Amino acid sequence: MTNEPTFIENPILRGFHPDPSIVRVGEDYYLATSTFEWFPGVRLHHSRDLRHWRPIGYALDRRSQLDLLGNPRSGGVWAPCLSHARGVFYLVYTDVKCWGRGFVDAHNYVVTASRIEGPWSEPIALNRGGFDPSLFHDDDGRMWLVNMVWDHRPGNDQFPGIVLQELDLQQRRLVGERRWIYPGGGLGLTEGPHLYRRGDHYYLLLAQGGTAYEHAATLARSRRIEGPYETDPNTPLLTSRHDPSLALQKAGHGCLVETSTGEWYLAHLCGRPLPGERRCCVLGRETALQRVRWTDDGWLALDGVDSPRAPAVRVPAPRLPAHPVEAPPVRDDFDRAALGVDYQTLRDVPDESWVSLRERPGHLRVRGRESPQSLHRQSVVGRRIQSIRCRVETCLGFEPTSFQQMAGLMALYDDENFFYALLSHDERLGRSVALLGSELGKLTWLARPVAVSAPRLHLRFELSGKELQFSWSEDGQRFDALGPALDGSLLSDERTSLGIGFTGAFAALCAHDLTGASLPADFDYLDYEELPQPR
């Protein structure tokens, strides 16, 4: 290990990786992030130095743990909390079935595992009525659950505060009185609680201001776990709400970790908007790390930054040996026995009934099912877009006989907002390629059907900042534009019907068959290549 200073480059998890929960076990560091309507649920990363992170899988990989069929857009898994005590990993999470219209149906669960890779247990139901559950392990062995409570009553503060209740795993339920330990107020929209103990105090780390451009992380403390909690007089601990020029916006929803060298870091979510008045975050909310220190009066402050509350892109790294991670290859030839760790499916569990790497070796076979606007059984296999300059390409074989059969390459945010380069059947042209767009659910032809004669079709899109361009080829060498240059900001949190979304842009391989015949599409490969950033 050299004596030269090293730095963490933020965000450490690029693309859709919100609501980070971080834990250290020995010399290993683990991060869990929200996955919302994408399956499997709760994405996990591992690091040995806090600088280099490697995806290692997902915790919720069975329908018995997580059934997302019918969940609304940006519903599903919200804000998991990962912890470890006495040789066991604990994961608490919320499955949101309804939100955005007054009521919120939030089901909170806990699962456990002896190894981070799993298998994770069947879930134990904890409570409902609020979200962002977090589990605290006290020194005496007792476990406590904290979560925010949702108030649906018109005229009331919908984020009225944080509650605490003991968890008894032997009884498989919460026990004792549910106590209100922290009120709403302050910056408002109080959520995302995490409890810690240091010295004589319990510390309550909170998210406030809402998970957009007014977001913040705040801190409170008490000598008793049930409170009362006093708020840090220098609150907030972290925010970018005061400075729209900061590269990392939306900073908040934090989680603390102490390194093996006694240094402290705050994992938090952030967003990097595209330039322009709309400030759209195509990549969704990402994960960053800030170095923090304990002050003489027992509060936390950012350490080694120019501004006392602002998130930094470049942060001093801990005094740990470097553990670089090998970059994944650009091309996936689908020659493995299972889908790689970068892939997720939309709501449904991937099984041989609709997605297979075995039926035609060297290909991903996807059988068409419901439409691109279905909230149930879509055949969509996607990966995160993690750079605003990237190229995505695939090649497929597909023999549709009806306009209701289509397959191809999507750039999508959700079932409302997407672009779909599709191979289908036209009554006049036969097999044909076209580009379909959906903005807030309204369908538009962005490129009308063009006849395709080759048995295999190559599809590609390139994202360059805000500009998104699709193209197609019959030989894989010469590509022709498919439609005009598009506004890629449609694939952002800010362009949804509610004005806020919680996921991020995906590149996806898909098949849809509205006839019910389940016609298969065979994808030969998927390229995902990040392109050089402009100087």
Side-chain angles (χ1 to χ4, degrees):
M1 185 168 63
T2 69
N3 293 323
E4 296 179 2
T6 56
F7 295 90
I8 295 168
E9 299 287 340
N10 283 317
I12 55 167
L13 303 183
R14 296 177 295 113
F16 162 46
H17 292 100
D19 310 323
S21 174
I22 189 169
V23 66
R24 176 174 67 89
V25 182
E27 299 296 327
D28 296 289
Y29 300 83
Y30 301 102
L31 266 170
T33 50
S34 298
T35 43
F36 294 88
E37 67 262 42
W38 290 91
F39 190 94
V42 184
R43 188 160 162 88
L44 301 171
H45 282 79
H46 169 255
S47 175
R48 298 272 291 182
D49 60 9
L50 297 188
R51 297 168 56 206
H52 305 96
W53 292 86
R54 177 177 61 93
I56 56 173
Y58 303 86
L60 310 176
D61 58 6
R62 307 187 297 276
R63 196 186 304 278
S64 59
Q65 296 169 317
L66 181 66
D67 187 350
L68 295 172
L69 294 182
N71 277 37
R73 63 189 70 96
S74 288
V77 176
W78 287 17
C81 174
L82 180 65
S83 60
H84 184 269
R86 292 169 287 282
V88 177
F89 286 96
Y90 298 81
L91 181 75
V92 293
Y93 62 97
T94 305
D95 179 8
V96 174
K97 300 299 186 183
C98 170
W99 76 279
R101 295 177 294 171
F103 286 98
V104 170
D105 289 298
H107 302 240
N108 296 319
Y109 301 95
V110 61
V111 292
T112 60
S114 58
R115 300 170 64 248
I116 190 71
E117 297 87 358
W120 290 81
S121 70
E122 290 300 298
I124 297 174
L126 298 175
N127 62 18
R128 302 182 189 179
F131 47 85
D132 293 359
S134 177
L135 192 60
F136 169 66
H137 306 268
D138 211 343
D139 296 342
D140 60 4
R142 298 170 77 182
M143 291 182 286
W144 299 87
L145 188 80
V146 288
N147 61 267
M148 66 81 66
V149 171
W150 180 264
D151 190 340
H152 63 269
R153 294 171 293 182
N156 284 16
D157 182 355
Q158 292 178 320
F159 294 73
I162 305 300
V163 294
L164 169 83
Q165 194 169 5
E166 188 173 0
L167 172 63
D168 186 330
L169 272 187
Q170 289 189 336
Q171 297 188 50
R172 298 175 60 86
R173 64 185 181 91
L174 296 171
V175 297
E177 179 186 355
R178 186 180 80 163
R179 299 180 174 95
W180 289 81
I181 63 170
Y182 192 83
L187 300 178
L189 285 75
T190 302
E191 56 185 341
H194 291 297
L195 261 177
Y196 306 90
R197 187 171 186 176
R198 185 175 184 270
D200 295 331
H201 286 93
Y202 292 91
Y203 287 86
L204 185 61
L205 182 63
L206 301 159
Q208 290 194 310
T211 187
Y213 290 98
E214 299 298 306
H215 207 194
T218 62
L219 193 66
R221 70 184 182 189
S222 172
R223 293 186 183 275
R224 301 168 63 234
I225 193 170
E226 64 270 22
Y229 283 80
E230 60 169 327
T231 303
D232 181 355
N234 293 314
T235 200
L237 168 63
L238 173 76
T239 189
S240 38
R241 61 190 287 156
H242 59 286
D243 188 352
S245 70
L246 291 170
L248 305 181
Q249 293 292 315
K250 304 185 178 182
H253 199 114
C255 185
L256 290 168
V257 67
E258 183 182 11
T259 70
S260 57
T261 53
E263 301 161 277
W264 287 81
Y265 285 83
L266 175 75
H268 66 92
L269 72 78
C270 63
R272 293 180 291 166
L274 295 170
E277 294 182 3
R278 300 188 78 161
R279 302 178 75 198
C280 293
C281 294
V282 171
L283 302 182
R285 297 169 303 153
E286 305 171 290
T287 287
L289 276 174
Q290 304 299 324
R291 186 183 175 100
V292 294
R293 60 179 173 83
W294 292 98
T295 63
D296 292 340
D297 54 357
W299 294 105
L300 275 175
L302 298 187
D303 191 23
V305 296
D306 296 330
S307 177
R309 295 179 177 85
V313 171
R314 206 162 186 249
V315 174
R319 300 183 301 274
L320 296 170
H323 284 268
V325 173
E326 184 178 350
V330 168
R331 174 159 294 188
D332 185 350
D333 282 312
F334 298 125
D335 53 4
R336 291 175 291 185
L339 283 170
V341 71
D342 286 326
Y343 295 105
Q344 287 184 276
T345 55
L346 193 54
R347 293 185 177 85
D348 203 3
V349 178
D351 61 42
E352 289 286 325
S353 69
W354 69 271
V355 60
S356 176
L357 288 163
R358 295 189 296 181
E359 287 189 18
R360 187 180 176 189
H363 294 75
L364 178 68
R365 172 162 286 182
V366 181
R367 294 187 177 277
R369 296 186 299 169
E370 295 177 358
S371 81
Q373 294 180 337
S374 171
L375 302 182
H376 293 83
R377 291 179 172 86
Q378 278 203 60
S379 297
V380 174
V381 180
R383 62 147 297 144
R384 289 157 178 75
I385 295 175
Q386 295 179 271
S387 171
I388 59 170
R389 299 190 185 277
C390 65
R391 176 186 67 86
V392 178
E393 182 181 315
T394 192
C395 175
L396 75 152
F398 185 58
E399 297 295 334
T401 58
S402 166
F403 72 93
Q404 291 182 312
Q405 296 170 324
M406 63 204 91
L409 176 64
M410 297 183 83
L412 79 157
Y413 185 84
D414 59 18
D415 58 280
E416 278 194 322
N417 291 345
F418 59 81
F419 302 108
Y420 187 1
L422 57 90
L423 179 60
S424 186
H425 176 85
D426 180 82
E427 293 89 341
R428 182 174 61 87
L429 300 172
R431 285 175 77 246
S432 54
V433 63
L435 182 60
L436 184 68
S438 175
E439 181 172 357
L440 300 182
K442 182 179 180 181
L443 299 179
T444 306
W445 282 123
L446 300 171
R448 290 193 172 274
V450 177
V452 172
S453 57
R456 305 198 324 158
L457 178 67
H458 298 259
L459 296 171
R460 173 191 290 176
F461 71 74
E462 286 194 16
L463 179 64
S464 181
K466 186 179 177 181
E467 185 174 294
L468 180 67
Q469 179 66 63
F470 279 84
S471 57
W472 69 288
S473 172
E474 291 190 290
D475 61 10
Q477 301 298 317
R478 193 194 71 168
F479 280 79
D480 295 319
L482 184 62
L486 303 168
D487 179 5
S489 72
L490 179 70
L491 310 176
S492 68
D493 299 340
E494 291 76 15
R495 296 286 297 273
T496 68
S497 57
L498 291 175
I500 187 171
F502 301 142
T503 57
F506 272 71
L509 307 178
C510 55
H512 301 88
D513 189 346
L514 310 187
T515 72
S518 300
L519 188 69
D522 290 330
F523 294 90
D524 187 15
Y525 63 85
L526 178 69
D527 287 352
Y528 173 80
E529 180 181 18
E530 296 188 357
L531 304 175
Q533 301 294 321
R535 294 184 181 274

